[in-house]
């Protein structure tokens, strides 16, 4: 493991960033405040960082039967994308081409045609503890799974503060739900002796410590969901029933063993938060029917995960809704009783035979379109496609620049030098089309963008009936609101210090960090350019980046 300091997305070390934090403010507050400045440094003029958010309201959601509902009791259906681990994205950005913040702004930019309603963020013990990535370790003849425990508390706190907090905050700003996914898998780590138990208590403690730290950190964030454990690889589920349809008793034992391991994680979250929880299942999260056949977890407001790829048996005859168990990989109608969150699915055509990628080898016609059709057939099926990345497989993108041909991992980012393929971040990513997965996923997100979204006020998304020049939706200005063509900020935009400039852009009565972000995202809008006098904080007669700095200086 390297002793190199943690690297931030802009190349400074963590210590250098902390030195820049204003006295009395936390690092997390500082990162939130400078989200706009980070985007600016990343290359505003490139067209990658968009100003037109595709966001929606993100109130706290709750499970009712097999549906997920908003506070008004209306059913919600969520569709979205996986990204790579934010620390991995950050430290490999020169090879990948984007930082996590640049990627999220791009993937939530309506001008680019993107409309995800949820982003799944894999938080990997491999990256928290700075271990060799699985493919790299495996190539060296080592166990691809990190040791248990994979990290200590100081490493976890540093990871959250430096990498996860900015992503969670940016998801809120962009109006998209965020799944914090404890992304551990690989064989040999669940049970100490065999698939009959006993449970691996050190592993249980590792994951328990994670959720005891993470759940209270985001307990008040209505847009955050918690996925307790990505893919439990053991104990292996096979057929969940006898041929006559009766439940198989040996599978009850396996499900009970899984609950013995994982229930404390759910309990730890529930001590602090009522946010939606997503529960995986043995056999690489291919057996969610365990919850409906053998018993749900305790804790309430629970959804269950389902993962599938073209190489899994259910895809031979498109039997995802039918017989469950590892041999068949269907869910046995579990979505009729509980909400199912398909947090991983994907395909890529260029792999064949018995190489390590055989499970993801498939085509849009053979797997992708039929599976997406099934996902869209039920309101209780929610999904995040894997993966909005050009390196992790199956990949939705290719890098639009000269690369070293890396797949699955960019070397060992914590012990080796990262190659620089992208000199000026962000660099272009090209969407993969048929027979690969990128184009269909994007088209489906766009076509369903108004379907099943929560009620309430959220970031403005231009439509045919919505002005795109920044005109307020309320035609009656107040004495505290600019009279014409202001950006689409909430009603009540105010002038807290009475100097004639409107610094309180979010209408909460004070100048805070989100106002800085709002200013940056709207400074080129026609609404602001037509009302320079309201937003020209340095008095030079125009809206420019010096005004952004001046506004930041007024944050209390």
């Amino acid at each position: 493991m390297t002793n190199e300091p943690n690297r931030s997305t802009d190349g400074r070390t963590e210590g250098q960033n902390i030195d820049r934090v204003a006295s009395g403010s936390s690092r997390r507050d500082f990162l939130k405040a400078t989200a706009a400045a980070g985007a600016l440094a990343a290359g505003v003029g490139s067209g990658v960082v968009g100003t037109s958010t595709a966001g929606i309201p993100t109130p706290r959601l709750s499970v009712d039967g097999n549906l997920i509902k908003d506070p008004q009791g209306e059913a919600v259906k969520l569709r979205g994308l996986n990204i790579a681990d934010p620390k991995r994205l950050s430290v490999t950005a020169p090879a990948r081409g984007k930082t996590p913040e640049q990627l999220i702004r791009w993937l939530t930019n309506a001008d680019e045609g993107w409309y995800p309603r949820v982003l799944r963020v894999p938080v990997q013990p491999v990256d928290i503890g700075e271990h060799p990535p699985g493919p790299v370790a495996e190539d060296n003849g080592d166990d691809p799974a990190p040791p248990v425990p994979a990290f200590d508390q100081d490493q976890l706190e540093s990871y959250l503060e430096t990498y996860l907090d900015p992503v969670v905050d940016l998801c809120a700003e962009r109006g998209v739900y965020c799944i914090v996914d404890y992304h551990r898998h690989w064989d040999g780590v669940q049970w100490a002796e065999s698939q009959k138990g006993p449970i691996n208590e050190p592993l249980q403690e590792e994951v328990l410590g994670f959720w005891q730290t993470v759940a209270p950190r985001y307990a008040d964030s209505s847009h955050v969901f918690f996925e307790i454990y990505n893919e439990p690889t053991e104990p292996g589920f096979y057929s969940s029933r006898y041929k006559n349809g009766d439940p198989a008793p040996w599978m009850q034992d396996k499900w009970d063993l899984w609950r013995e391991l994982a229930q404390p994680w759910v309990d730890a979250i529930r001590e602090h938060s009522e946010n939606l929880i997503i529960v995986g299942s043995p056999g690489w999260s291919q057996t969610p029917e365990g919850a409906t056949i053998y018993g749900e977890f305790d804790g309430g407001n629970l959804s269950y995960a389902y993962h599938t790829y073209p190489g899994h048996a259910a895809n031979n005859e498109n039997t995802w809704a039918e017989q469950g168990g590892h041999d068949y990989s269907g869910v046995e109608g579990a979505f009729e009783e509980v909400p199912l969150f398909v947090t991983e699915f994907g395909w890529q055509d260029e792999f064949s035979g018995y190489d390590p990628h055989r499970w993801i080898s498939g085509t849009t016609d053979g797997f992708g379109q039929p599976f997406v059709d099934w996902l869209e057939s039920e309101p209780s099926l929610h999904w995040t496609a894997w993966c909005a990345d050009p390196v992790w497989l199956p990949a939705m993108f290719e890098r639009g620049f000269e690369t070293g041909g890396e797949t699955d991992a960019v070397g060992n980012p914590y012990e080796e030098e990262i190659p620089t393929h992208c000199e000026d971040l962000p660099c272009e990513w090209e969407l993969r089309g048929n027979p690969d997965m990128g184009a269909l996923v994007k088209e489906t997100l766009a076509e369903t963008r108004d379907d099943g979204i929560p009620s309430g006020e959220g970031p403005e998304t231009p439509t045919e009936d919505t002005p795109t020049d920044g005109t307020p939706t309320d035609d009656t200005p107040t004495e505290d609101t600019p009279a014409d063509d202001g950006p689409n900020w909430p009603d009540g935009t105010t002038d807290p210090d009475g100097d004639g400039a409107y610094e309180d852009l979010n209408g909460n009565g004070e100048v805070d960090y989100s106002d800085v972000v709002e200013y940056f995202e709207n400074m080129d809008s026609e609404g602001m350019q037509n009302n320079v006098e309201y937003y020209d904080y340095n008095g030079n007669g125009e809206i420019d980046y010096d005004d952004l700095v001046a506004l930041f200086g007024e944050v209390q």
Side-chain angles (χ1 to χ4, degrees), residues 235-243 246-256 294:
F237 260 47
Y238 300 102
S239 179
S240 300
R241 296 182 183 273
Y242 289 113
K243 290 184 177 180
D246 293 335
W250 57 85
M251 301 308 292
Q252 180 74 64
D253 295 339
K254 292 176 182 290
W255 186 259
D256 289 346
Y294 302 112

Side-chain angles (χ1 to χ4, degrees), residues 40 236 310 317 319 394 517 532:
L40 175 62
E317 297 180 3
T319 54
V517 176
V532 171

Side-chain angles (χ1 to χ4, degrees), residues 178-239:
C178 175
I179 300 173
V180 176
D181 157 43
Y182 192 76
H183 201 80
R184 211 191 221 287
H185 47 37
W186 303 107
D187 292 315
V189 297
Q190 262 81 43
W191 276 267
E193 299 294 335
S194 71
Q195 293 193 44
K196 296 181 180 179
I199 66 169
N200 185 332
E201 292 185 0
L203 176 70
Q204 187 181 61
E205 289 300 311
E206 175 196 281
V207 186
L208 184 62
F210 177 85
W211 288 118
Q212 286 173 333
T213 301
V214 169
R217 195 179 191 95
Y218 305 124
D220 296 329
S221 299
S222 64
H223 72 298
V224 173
F225 307 150
F226 302 118
E227 187 167 355
I228 62 169
Y229 195 101
N230 169 51
E231 288 181 344
T233 54
E234 303 168 357
F237 260 47
Y238 300 102
S239 179

Side-chain angles (χ1 to χ4, degrees), residues 498-546:
D499 64 354
Y502 289 80
E503 300 94 346
D504 172 28
L505 307 182
N506 62 11
N508 67 354
E510 62 184 13
V511 184
D512 55 24
Y513 298 124
S514 65
D515 295 318
V516 178
V517 176
E518 291 281 2
Y519 190 93
F520 170 74
E521 292 187 342
N522 287 278
M523 60 193 299
D524 291 328
S525 70
E526 185 175 341
M528 284 187 68
Q529 295 299 326
N530 288 344
N531 293 273
V532 171
E533 66 272 23
Y534 295 121
Y535 311 114
D536 174 24
Y537 306 134
N538 66 0
N540 68 351
E542 61 183 11
I543 292 172
D544 54 26
Y545 297 122
D546 288 339

